[in-house]
Amino acid sequence: MRREDFPILNEKVHGRALVYLDNAATTQKPQVVIDAIAEAYGKWNANVHRGVHHLSQVATQKHEEARKKVAGLLHTQSEEEIIFTKGTTDSINMLARSFGDAMVKAGDEIIVSQLEHHSNIVPWQMLCERKGAVLKVIPLREDLSLDIEAFEGLLSEKTRLVSVAQVSNVLGIVNPVEEIIRLAHARGVAVCVDGAQSVPHLAVDVQEMDCDFLVMSAHKMYGPTGLGVLYGKKEWLDKLPPAEGGGEMIEHVSFEKTTYNVLPYKFEAGTPNYVGSYAFGKAIDYVQSVGLEAIAKYEHELAVYLEEQLALLPNVRIYAAGREKAGAVSFNVYREDGVLIHPFDVGVLLDRQGVAVRTGHHCAEPLIDHLQVPGTVRASVAMYNTKEDIDTFIAALRKAIMMLQ
Ligand code: PLP
């Protein structure tokens, strides 16, 4: 699928053709995105929103068109609900600051799950420390799915917000966020969905899902680094205070009283990443020209093939084997005497053969602790990967396992 559009895939690593299976960490960029960045700086770079001159108006128009594209991608009610941030981590920190300041007091509770990325744990922990609130954790069942009955038990009149990943960055499994949202809303509790690993792989509709907030990163969806999105329902964003102060987010400033700008600018202090938003708009056009449904279907087939081929190898343990996955598969390799081969060793030997995978705790230490391993090896696919990539990866892994016996 359109492999030729991604120039980096022609690179050689250690003299071997690159097989890039680290897409959950970041995706490679198609030529249209690379060209967009050069075009922005080469043809119309100027600061947005404040300029009457031509270039500033062009830049503003392109930045705002990109916002519309993101709104279309996520199916929001309006583009005012799209706040540009630096990435998923920044979005969650902003939300924890803004929502936390306005809505959370001592004794209140925030719920996350055992399988969250650190960026969906630590900002909430920091909020709880600031406010004297309590962080509650949805436990995992034996099959590593979220324990929904336990979640229901955690919801109380003290719960202020639930924040969960739609797709686990370690296990690749899809969590039942719709059910979580329904149960939380029945108690009047708001829900934030970490869409970092889902928006690039699934067709996401925030209105259908009915989440209150959703966060994502452009770089995980063929877009540039340094750009992310915080989606919030308008009624929430109207009500919440800005998380950061500075230029752009104000209406009037005086030493006596400052008033804030309208949505979404109230949440966008300082010069925004308009080159990034423009390039991300191009990535969205690119993805939509292929079709998110077609991408999801293709990647699902690849992930199933990847897992099937892995399962044929001796002494490989796949986590959440057989569960519905979007993009990523995590595993560990054991020696014949049953001793775990450290994931780093596997990763290094794969790298020597041109295969890029990620090893370690994947910024999800509480989940890795739960699995009682030092880390995992994670292979994650994107639309440009092929069955041949997976065959090369499996052959390289077979060799690595032999060398590590
Ligand atoms: N949440 C999940 C599920 C992720 O996979 C990641 C990145 O791997 C993040 C949050 C953080 O994203 P970023 O580093 O782009 O802010």
Side-chain angles (χ1 to χ4, degrees):
M1 222 188 237
R2 307 247 208 159
R3 203 177 165 80
E4 62 283 3
D5 294 340
F6 294 80
I8 203 171
L9 299 178
N10 295 323
E11 289 296 302
K12 295 237 175 325
V13 170
H14 305 305
R16 306 287 192 97
L18 168 65
V19 171
Y20 187 77
L21 293 172
D22 192 19
N23 294 288
T26 198
T27 52
Q28 300 304 347
K29 317 304 169 199
Q31 191 63 50
V32 282
V33 169
I34 300 169
D35 289 347
I37 295 168
E39 181 207 314
Y41 286 123
K43 289 201 187 309
W44 49 259
N45 176 55
N47 208 334
V48 292
H49 294 145
R50 289 175 291 272
V52 289
H53 66 80
H54 175 73
L55 289 187
S56 175
Q57 292 190 1
V58 173
T60 303
Q61 188 198 340
K62 292 192 184 291
H63 182 55
E64 293 306 326
E65 275 169 9
R67 196 189 305 277
K68 283 200 185 96
K69 287 181 188 179
V70 179
L73 173 75
L74 299 178
H75 302 276
T76 66
Q77 209 164 40
S78 78
E79 62 253 29
E80 298 167 292
E81 296 176 318
I82 297 298
I83 296 158
F84 284 122
T85 66
K86 297 201 287 274
T88 303
T89 306
D90 189 38
S91 300
I92 299 177
N93 276 282
M94 275 181 57
L95 184 63
R97 171 67 65 183
S98 169
F99 187 94
D101 277 356
M103 307 299 299
V104 179
K105 56 181 186 331
D108 284 349
E109 295 173 356
I110 305 286
I111 301 180
V112 297
S113 89
Q114 178 84 36
L115 54 64
E116 299 308 315
H117 188 282
H118 294 162
S119 67
N120 198 25
I121 299 174
V122 184
W124 303 118
Q125 244 171 356
M126 291 163 70
L127 164 65
C128 288
E129 272 170 31
R130 283 198 304 276
K131 291 287 187 135
V134 182
L135 192 68
K136 298 269 175 165
V137 182
I138 309 172
L140 301 179
R141 299 191 190 106
E142 189 75 20
D143 68 352
L144 302 178
S145 60
L146 297 185
D147 187 335
I148 297 298
E149 288 75 45
F151 167 62
E152 277 195 84
L154 291 178
L155 283 168
S156 79
E157 69 286 351
K158 292 185 194 151
T159 315
R160 291 290 154 267
L161 185 101
V162 179
S163 192
V164 282
Q166 188 172 14
V167 170
S168 157
N169 68 306
V170 179
L171 306 171
I173 53 176
V174 184
N175 292 320
V177 286
E178 288 83 359
E179 196 180 354
I180 289 173
I181 292 165
R182 190 174 50 73
L183 291 168
H185 283 180
R187 302 275 199 133
V189 174
V191 179
C192 170
V193 171
D194 179 348
Q197 298 292 344
S198 60
V199 180
H201 298 291
L202 310 170
V204 167
D205 182 327
V206 289
Q207 290 190 70
E208 204 176 284
M209 195 194 282
D210 199 26
C211 56
D212 301 276
F213 306 97
L214 181 136
V215 294
M216 64 166 297
S217 295
H219 72 94
K220 292 186 193 286
M221 196 178 170
Y222 314 107
T225 51
L227 186 87
V229 173
L230 167 60
Y231 155 79
K233 278 184 181 164
K234 182 170 162 25
E235 50 268 39
W236 270 117
L237 297 181
D238 276 336
K239 188 153 65 178
L240 294 180
E244 292 172 350
E248 195 92 3
M249 51 74 72
I250 51 87
E251 182 190 35
H252 294 295
V253 177
S254 73
F255 287 115
E256 290 69 41
K257 171 113 186 104
T258 289
T259 52
Y260 302 133
N261 207 337
V262 294
L263 288 180
Y265 312 111
K266 178 173 98 173
F267 289 97
E268 293 182 350
T271 300
N273 183 0
Y274 51 87
V275 175
S277 62
Y278 178 64
F280 186 38
K282 293 288 179 191
I284 293 173
D285 289 345
Y286 181 83
V287 162
Q288 287 176 337
S289 73
V290 183
L292 255 169
E293 311 257 329
I295 292 172
K297 185 166 173 291
Y298 178 72
E299 289 176 341
H300 183 255
E301 278 166 25
L302 276 184
V304 168
Y305 182 68
L306 171 58
E307 197 167 307
E308 277 169 11
Q309 295 302 306
L310 266 178
L312 293 176
L313 296 178
N315 306 323
V316 168
R317 172 157 185 214
I318 301 165
Y319 297 99
R323 298 272 311 285
E324 190 202 339
K325 303 223 168 76
V329 178
S330 250
F331 63 95
N332 265 311
V333 178
Y334 290 79
R335 281 198 334 221
E336 260 146 35
D337 59 7
V339 174
L340 179 130
I341 298 174
H342 201 286
F344 289 163
D345 295 337
V346 178
V348 168
L349 288 183
L350 288 175
D351 175 60
R352 300 305 301 176
Q353 300 174 78
V355 178
V357 294
R358 187 141 300 237
T359 59
H361 58 52
H362 314 292
C363 295
E365 278 192 66
L367 171 59
I368 296 298
D369 288 348
H370 177 84
L371 299 176
Q372 296 183 317
V373 287
T376 72
V377 184
R378 180 186 69 189
S380 51
V381 296
M383 68 160 121
Y384 41 67
N385 288 120
T386 58
K387 283 197 169 171
E388 291 72 50
D389 283 345
I390 290 165
D391 292 341
T392 308
F393 156 66
I394 294 288
L397 180 60
R398 207 180 271 281
K399 207 159 154 188
I401 294 172
M402 263 163 47
M403 291 168 78
L404 291 164
Q405 281 305 322

